């Protein structure tokens, strides 16, 4: 079983490399975090396939390639403070926690958060602070963050979120009106919103950000 898992993991890492992920730090974080523990037992045997999978409550754990792509886009050095909106299974959060100083993460579905928190505990990831709540407006009390990662799709990015990121920091976020027309964007924060630099990282399909505050 253990042997099989390590072969599946090695294949996944090779897949990610062939798809353009080149950061050894990101790939080794993916190798270290056991994706199966974030999954319901029925899907655990698919943990190292490069696909998104259901985690209940109509939500999904992201595809490993997308987790790698979003993480690589942040070019982490290890001393950053990151805000994640949409903890979900906690898989992306855990990858970030190995590569940064601290990760704050918000999730609006309580049972998902509770499950994610038990995974963080199991893996002894003590630099994650996760909270139950609506992350639509970020976490202004704790701002500024070095980076922000939004793991659910927004129709447009709210300036009130970008204002919580320090200059030269970045926000990685799927933007699109429907899930067939989403693009992953990296926004590098300038002195003011006109100086922000936008990069397109490709087509994606995320569950939508849901809020009562819109
Ligand atoms: N990266 C995650 C994927 C999360 S799916 C993983 O690998 O598992 C997106 C998550 O965003 C869902 O769990 C959803 O409940 C959450 N979400 C949607 N709207 C939100 C909001 N307004 N505030 C916080 N979380 C939100």
């Amino acid at each position: 079983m253990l042997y099989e898992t390590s072969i599946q993991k090695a294949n996944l890492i090779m897949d990610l490399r062939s798809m353009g992920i080149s950061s050894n730090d990101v790939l080794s974080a993916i190798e270290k975090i056991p994706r199966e523990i974030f999954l319901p037992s029925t899907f655990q045997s698919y943990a190292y396939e490069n696909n998104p999978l259901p985690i209940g409550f109509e939500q999904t754990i992201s595809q490993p390639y997308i987790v790698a792509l979003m993480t690589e886009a942040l070019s982490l050095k290890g001393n950053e403070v990151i805000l994640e909106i949409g903890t979900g299974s906690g898989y992306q959060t855990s990858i970030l926690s190995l590569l940064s100083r601290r990760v704050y993460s918000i999730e609006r579905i309580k049972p998902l958060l509770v499950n994610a928190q038990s995974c963080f505990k199991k893996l002894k990831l003590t630099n994650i602070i996760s909270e139950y709540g609506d992350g639509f407006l970020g976490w202004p009390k704790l701002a500024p963050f070095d980076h922000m990662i939004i793991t659910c799709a927004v129709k447009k990015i709210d300036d009130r979120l970008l204002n919580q990121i320090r200059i030269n920091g970045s926000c990685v976020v799927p933007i699109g009106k429907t899930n067939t027309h989403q693009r992953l964007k990296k926004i590098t924060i300038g002195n003011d919103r006109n100086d922000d630099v936008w990069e397109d990282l490709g087509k994606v399909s995320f569950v939508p950000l849901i809020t009562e505050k819109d």
Side-chain angles (χ1 to χ4, degrees):
M1 174 66 185
L2 213 96
Y3 178 64
E4 244 175 58
T5 305
S6 57
I7 291 179
Q8 289 171 335
K9 263 192 190 181
N11 284 336
L12 175 63
I13 300 299
M14 281 195 292
D15 245 28
L16 298 180
R17 271 196 199 281
S18 74
M19 293 171 85
I21 303 299
S22 62
S23 159
N24 288 330
D25 290 345
V26 172
L27 292 168
S28 96
I30 293 210
E31 214 165 345
K32 278 192 199 124
I33 297 290
R35 189 166 181 252
E36 63 273 21
I37 74 163
F38 298 89
L39 290 166
S41 53
T42 37
F43 293 110
Q44 282 175 355
S45 54
Y46 305 109
Y48 296 99
E49 289 183 10
N50 193 10
N51 288 317
L53 290 165
I55 51 171
F57 307 91
E58 295 171 10
Q59 306 302 321
T60 50
I61 185 172
S62 305
Q63 180 192 6
Y65 170 67
I66 296 295
V67 171
L69 181 70
M70 292 175 89
T71 309
E72 188 167 70
L74 299 179
S75 304
L76 298 170
K77 304 265 180 308
N79 56 353
E80 299 85 352
V81 176
I82 305 172
L83 175 65
E84 178 187 50
I85 301 172
T87 318
S89 68
Y91 178 64
Q92 168 80 75
T93 327
S94 302
I95 300 285
L96 292 171
S97 100
L98 294 188
L99 299 170
S100 65
R101 181 149 63 88
R102 184 169 306 140
V103 188
Y104 293 99
S105 188
I106 315 175
E107 172 56 55
R108 64 176 284 279
I109 299 177
K110 188 88 178 252
L112 286 180
L113 182 76
V114 169
N115 195 60
Q117 287 173 333
S118 86
C119 293
F120 304 151
K121 212 167 165 191
K122 243 184 248 169
L123 298 174
K124 301 190 171 61
L125 302 173
T126 52
N127 62 342
I128 298 172
I129 296 172
S130 53
E131 276 249 331
Y132 168 59
D134 184 345
F136 173 64
L137 289 177
W139 204 334
K141 261 202 324 222
L142 299 173
F145 303 98
D146 295 304
H147 301 290
M148 189 179 289
I149 183 163
I150 305 181
T151 71
C152 37
V154 296
K155 292 193 187 90
K156 68 184 263 302
I157 185 82
D158 196 299
D159 280 356
R160 287 170 293 182
L161 287 176
L162 298 181
N163 292 342
Q164 290 172 41
I165 308 170
R166 69 163 176 78
I167 294 168
N168 295 326
S170 54
C171 177
V172 174
V173 53
I175 303 184
K177 295 210 165 57
T178 65
N179 65 350
T180 51
H181 288 96
Q182 287 171 20
R183 307 288 308 182
L184 188 63
K185 300 288 180 183
K186 174 180 175 181
I187 306 157
T188 304
I189 304 300
N191 286 312
D192 63 51
R193 294 290 67 85
N194 292 323
D195 289 334
D196 292 343
V197 176
W198 286 62
E199 284 167 73
D200 184 68
L201 303 180
K203 187 176 182 298
V204 285
S205 177
F206 276 83
V207 294
L209 182 142
I210 293 172
T211 184
E212 278 79 57
K213 295 181 183 159
D214 218 348

